[in-house]
Each structure stands twice: as structure tokens, then as C-alpha cells.
Amino acid sequence: MDSIKNRRSIRKYKQDEIPASLLNDLLEEAFRASTMGNMQLYSVVVTRDKQMKEKLAPAHFNQPMVTGAPVVLTFCADFNRFSKWCRARKAEPGYDNPISFLNAATDALLVTQNFCTLAEEHGLGICYLGTTIYNPDQIVEILQLPELVMPVATITVGYPDECPSQVDRLPVQGLLHDEVYHDYSVEDIDRIYAYKESLPENHRFIEENQKETLAQVFTDVRYKKADNEYMSGILKATLKKQGFEK
Amino acid sequence: MDSIKNRRSIRKYKQDEIPASLLNDLLEEAFRASTMGNMQLYSVVVTRDKQMKEKLAPAHFNQPMVTGAPVVLTFCADFNRFSKWCRARKAEPGYDNPISFLNAATDALLVTQNFCTLAEEHGLGICYLGTTIYNPDQIVEILQLPELVMPVATITVGYPDECPSQVDRLPVQGLLHDEVYHDYSVEDIDRIYAYKESLPENHRFIEENQKETLAQVFTDVRYKKADNEYMSGILKATLKKQGFEK
């Protein structure tokens, strides 16, 4: 499938709106993804309103795609709807626990990827915002998510107004393991990361950040231990607040 | 995309093998999915060996697809490879925490869905096994997964030897929320679940399980509170053992 093979994240969008019927159709098709026991443990909040985008932007560290895209979609793990159905049908739900969160998050993420594939196949561009799980507390408040609903993915969507070059990927054999996991030797690591480390853009990246190695840009600048620990605290507190920690 | 629109999970497979080159190509293409900071925080363990399938089967509650499919794929959240790269490059990784697990699990699940789409587009059938996160401790042992590697999804793959009817989905409008989450009234729930509850197969399902409502089949038989709490304990213990709880 060329739309998957040639894909790139799109961060600049034309001002053209996405017709509501198209968005609806793409989401409906995306909902054909596999789902735990056919429970469909997800909801999608659709943001088109300018003021709502401005409210959401800080939760996504003000990445310009949030206010620049015609549509922002927040995919949520949702055991609220299912639990409400149970209670309305003389059944007592027991989904206020970590495994249920992970079940619902899985459902939501499969649907998210399905939506991205379908959107790109229809000529739309998307950008996946990893920031959703860094500031879930803010997103819960802005989108008024009730108990047993937790945001897990945000996608900005629109007609592409750029065509960036495709980014690198590690060689496929470095990610596959036959029968059991074969742990990596230093030589394996050297081989797997050689191409990535050879790229001029990554040399520039090291220089710009005044680091010695590309890995240091990740550990010291982009994804720091202290930040990860701080955000882990927010994640745990939000899961508890949303009722998934019983 | 008809292959997504018309998809159904396949649980019976022909004995034909999947050529290694095809599997490789599909996985390589799947790895074009969005990934956090282009870190590609996943590994895939490929099971073709009969004995390995027999070892894995109990972890998946002996669902017959595990031994019946030519290929079983276990998608893992993997911060081991990336951390090893950091250490080999004078960088100190800080990814032994819950947010890093969720980042890696997200990466792995996006790739899982991408693979499923591509496999189905090529005429293969897949079944998603939700059991992976119920017995992660067993899978970790069988597949020899080191620290910072956690199984999150298992897919059985093969050429279809059945064409089951397509299962129902909730009406799309019941899963979408404009601008903010609009919580469900009892009337909303009635409307959203009406079609599912009207289906003859679901009436049979209630009878077979000697329950009063379909929801009770879920809460009292299929996804019980006590089971969820027990499996939440295993999940937490395995995440700790795999080093994601610091």
C-alpha cells in the first residue's frame, strides 16, 4: 500500500475544511478495527472550534499543528459508556482497574492507527501528538472527560500544505526476533543504528544541541529521565482520578 | 478501503506457509507508522515453530488459533534496544518508568494495527488476541523477553480458511463527541445499544449463558470484576519485573 509506504507526518495544513460527512465515514470505517470482546472501548472527541483548539494547545506544548489544523481528534480509552450500559441492564461492571484501562487504551490505539491509514489514503495529512499522555490531566479538564475515560492519542488532520522528506527507519531485521528475543550485543547496536547515525540531519542535530552523540540529544534534551519521572506521576494521578486504579 | 470496511477476524487458517519475504515486507511497511520521536520503541517476536506455539498456547487460554496459524506475532513495547544504544553512546537512559512503558506500548500498538491492515490488504487473515496482557508473565518467560521489553499484542496470521459473517458495531454517532464529551443519558444508552441488543445471535448468547441481559454475559461470565482485579495484579507485577515501575 503506497499510502502507508510513502507516508510522512504532516504539520502544515491548507485552510480547507474537512467535510463532516467525510470525517464521519473515515471514523466509521476505522471503528472496524479489532476490539476486545466487541466492546468498542473508545470515544473520539472532535475539535473544530478555534477557541477549543487554543485551550488544547498548551496541553500539547503549543505545537502549532493544534491551532493550525482544521480538525483535532482526541482518541480516548472509554469504559464509561460500557459501564453505564451495564448498570442500565441489571449488570454490575468491574472495569475500574489497570487491566481495563490497558484494554480500553489498546482498543483506542488500534482505532487511531486505522483512522490515520484511512485519512492518508483519502489524501489527508495527519500528525500524531505524543503529548496527550504527558498532560492527560489538562486534556481531561478541557474536554470534560468523566470517570473511566482517559485520553490516549491526539491526531491533527487536514489537507497537506507541505511535503517533507520521509524520515529514516531502523533496518527491519534489527526489530525482528525469530522464536525468542535475541538480546542485542554492542555490535548489533552499532549495525542497527549505523544508518541513522550517518545521516547529515542527525549530525546537524548533535551540533545544534551541542552534544557529543545523537543518543545524548535524546537523553539530555528531548526525553529526559527527570521529565519522564515527573510525567509518570501525572499519568498515575490522572489514571487514579479517572477511576482506573481500584 | 474495502479491506478495512469488510474486514472480519479469521480464526481458521489454511496450512499454507506465509513466505518469509512477504512477512518481512509487510512488517517493514508497518514500521512506517508514527513513532514517538522516531525512537521505534517496539520489537516483534515471530513464532513459526510448532513447539513454541504449543508453549505459547496456554498463555492465550488455549485459543486454537495459536497452534492453528502458520505464524504468531508478539508485538512488544521495547525500551531495551534504545537504552542499550544510549549506553553504548555515552548517554544515560531514563526510561524505566510508567510513562515510558505507555510511550513504547503506543508505538507497538500503532505498528500492530498497521501490520493487520497490510496483511489483510494482501489476502491474509488475522486474529487479535487480547490475552497477551492477561498473562504477560508467561509470555515474558517463553519468549525470553529482557528488562524494558513487555508484550502488548499478539496476532495470529495465515491464509483464511473460513469467511465468518461480519460482527456488529455500535452506531458511529454514539462514539463521537463534538468539542467536549457529552456524557450518556439512559436514553442515549438505549439508543446506542438497541441494534446490538436486537440481534438474534445476542439473544442466543443470553440464553446459552442463562442470563437475563446481554450486559450480564459480559459482567458475570466473560469479563468479571474478580478476574480483572487478579489480572491487574499480574500486569502490575510484570511491569515491575520488566523494569517499568521506577
Side-chain angles (χ1 to χ4, degrees):
Chain A
M1 269 185 63
D2 287 350
S3 64
I4 291 183
K5 206 178 218 161
N6 301 324
R7 76 165 300 280
R8 49 260 289 170
S9 296
I10 298 296
R11 294 177 172 80
K12 282 185 71 183
Y13 306 98
K14 293 183 179 153
Q15 284 310 300
D16 311 18
E17 286 300 323
I18 304 173
S21 61
L22 173 62
L23 192 65
N24 215 74
D25 289 353
L26 296 175
L27 285 162
E28 184 166 23
E29 248 182 86
F31 294 164
R32 293 298 335 167
S34 296
T35 152
M36 171 70 54
N38 201 14
M39 291 188 280
Q40 296 189 261
L41 304 170
Y42 44 78
S43 275
V44 184
V45 183
V46 181
T47 308
R48 288 184 181 268
D49 182 73
K50 193 169 173 293
Q51 280 185 314
M52 285 303 290
K53 289 177 199 163
E54 280 163 7
K55 275 193 202 173
L56 280 172
H60 297 290
F61 300 134
N62 292 307
Q63 293 177 91
M65 299 80 87
V66 177
T67 49
V71 171
V72 179
L73 298 176
T74 307
F75 290 80
C76 303
D78 187 340
F79 245 121
N80 168 57
R81 183 179 54 246
F82 193 84
S83 297
K84 281 213 152 74
W85 176 59
C86 292
R87 290 214 174 84
R89 298 294 183 269
K90 302 182 195 172
E92 188 50 38
Y95 308 112
D96 51 356
N97 37 55
I99 197 83
S100 298
F101 165 67
L102 196 50
N103 273 336
T106 299
D107 265 22
L109 289 166
L110 299 183
V111 156
T112 302
Q113 181 56 43
N114 232 12
F115 172 82
C116 292
T117 299
L118 289 161
E120 290 174 340
E121 181 79 5
H122 279 77
L124 290 162
I126 67 99
C127 187
Y128 190 104
L129 307 185
T131 36
T132 310
I133 54 172
Y134 296 161
N135 296 305
D137 52 336
Q138 297 176 38
I139 296 171
V140 160
E141 205 184 313
I142 297 163
L143 301 183
Q144 301 174 26
L145 306 181
E147 266 196 31
L148 298 188
V149 181
M150 179 80 183
V152 294
T154 303
I155 306 291
T156 54
V157 199
Y159 292 96
D161 197 22
E162 64 168 358
C163 185
S165 42
Q166 209 180 26
V167 294
D168 65 289
R169 286 291 186 265
L170 299 173
V172 59
Q173 286 305 334
L175 314 186
L176 303 184
H177 300 263
D178 275 336
E179 305 301 342
V180 294
Y181 193 100
H182 300 276
D183 207 353
Y184 300 93
S185 66
V186 175
E187 293 71 31
D188 294 332
I189 293 291
D190 286 346
R191 194 180 59 250
I192 293 167
Y193 285 89
Y195 176 69
K196 182 185 282 288
E197 291 174 318
S198 77
L199 294 171
E201 60 264 37
N202 283 333
H203 284 284
R204 266 201 310 277
F205 210 28
I206 298 171
E207 269 174 49
E208 280 167 13
N209 287 285
Q210 299 179 293
K211 291 288 162 192
E212 201 182 337
T213 68
L214 181 61
Q216 288 175 356
V217 180
F218 283 90
T219 57
D220 302 355
V221 183
R222 297 191 69 195
Y223 302 99
K224 291 186 278 190
K225 185 182 178 73
D227 291 348
N228 288 332
E229 288 175 353
Y230 176 73
M231 292 183 301
S232 292
I234 295 177
L235 175 67
K236 281 204 241 180
T238 310
L239 282 169
K240 193 170 179 185
K241 179 172 177 286
Q242 296 309 94
F244 280 117
E245 279 299 338
K246 295 215 176 95
Chain B
M1 268 185 63
D2 287 350
S3 64
I4 291 183
K5 205 179 220 158
N6 301 323
R7 77 164 300 279
R8 48 260 291 172
S9 295
I10 298 296
R11 293 177 173 81
K12 282 185 70 183
Y13 306 99
K14 292 183 180 153
Q15 284 310 301
D16 312 16
E17 287 298 323
I18 304 173
S21 60
L22 173 62
L23 192 66
N24 215 74
D25 288 354
L26 295 175
L27 285 163
E28 183 166 22
E29 247 182 86
F31 294 164
R32 293 300 332 169
S34 296
T35 153
M36 172 69 54
N38 200 14
M39 292 189 278
Q40 295 190 261
L41 303 170
Y42 44 77
S43 275
V44 185
V45 182
V46 182
T47 308
R48 289 183 181 268
D49 183 72
K50 193 170 174 292
Q51 281 185 313
M52 286 302 291
K53 288 177 199 164
E54 281 163 7
K55 276 193 202 174
L56 279 173
H60 297 291
F61 300 135
N62 292 307
Q63 292 178 91
M65 299 80 89
V66 178
T67 49
V71 171
V72 179
L73 299 176
T74 307
F75 291 79
C76 304
D78 187 341
F79 245 121
N80 168 56
R81 182 180 54 247
F82 192 84
S83 297
K84 282 214 150 76
W85 175 59
C86 292
R87 291 215 174 83
R89 298 294 183 270
K90 302 183 196 172
E92 188 52 37
Y95 308 112
D96 51 356
N97 37 54
I99 197 83
S100 298
F101 165 68
L102 195 50
N103 273 336
T106 299
D107 265 22
L109 289 166
L110 299 183
V111 155
T112 302
Q113 181 55 42
N114 232 10
F115 172 82
C116 293
T117 299
L118 290 161
E120 290 174 340
E121 181 79 5
H122 279 78
L124 291 162
I126 67 100
C127 187
Y128 190 104
L129 307 185
T131 37
T132 309
I133 54 172
Y134 296 161
N135 296 306
D137 52 337
Q138 297 176 37
I139 296 171
V140 160
E141 205 184 313
I142 298 164
L143 300 182
Q144 301 174 26
L145 306 181
E147 266 196 30
L148 298 188
V149 182
M150 179 81 182
V152 294
T154 303
I155 306 291
T156 54
V157 200
Y159 292 96
D161 197 22
E162 63 169 358
C163 185
S165 41
Q166 209 181 26
V167 294
D168 66 288
R169 287 290 187 266
L170 300 173
V172 59
Q173 286 304 334
L175 314 185
L176 303 184
H177 301 262
D178 274 337
E179 304 300 342
V180 294
Y181 193 100
H182 300 275
D183 207 353
Y184 299 93
S185 65
V186 174
E187 293 70 33
D188 294 333
I189 293 291
D190 287 346
R191 194 180 59 250
I192 292 168
Y193 286 90
Y195 176 69
K196 182 186 282 288
E197 291 176 318
S198 77
L199 295 171
E201 60 264 36
N202 283 333
H203 284 283
R204 267 201 308 279
F205 210 28
I206 298 171
E207 269 173 50
E208 281 167 13
N209 287 285
Q210 299 178 294
K211 291 288 162 192
E212 201 183 336
T213 68
L214 181 62
Q216 288 175 356
V217 180
F218 283 91
T219 56
D220 302 356
V221 183
R222 297 190 68 193
Y223 302 100
K224 290 186 279 191
K225 185 181 177 74
D227 291 348
N228 288 332
E229 288 175 352
Y230 176 74
M231 293 183 300
S232 291
I234 296 177
L235 175 68
K236 282 204 240 180
T238 311
L239 282 170
K240 193 170 179 185
K241 179 173 177 282
Q242 295 308 95
F244 279 116
E245 279 299 338
K246 294 216 176 95

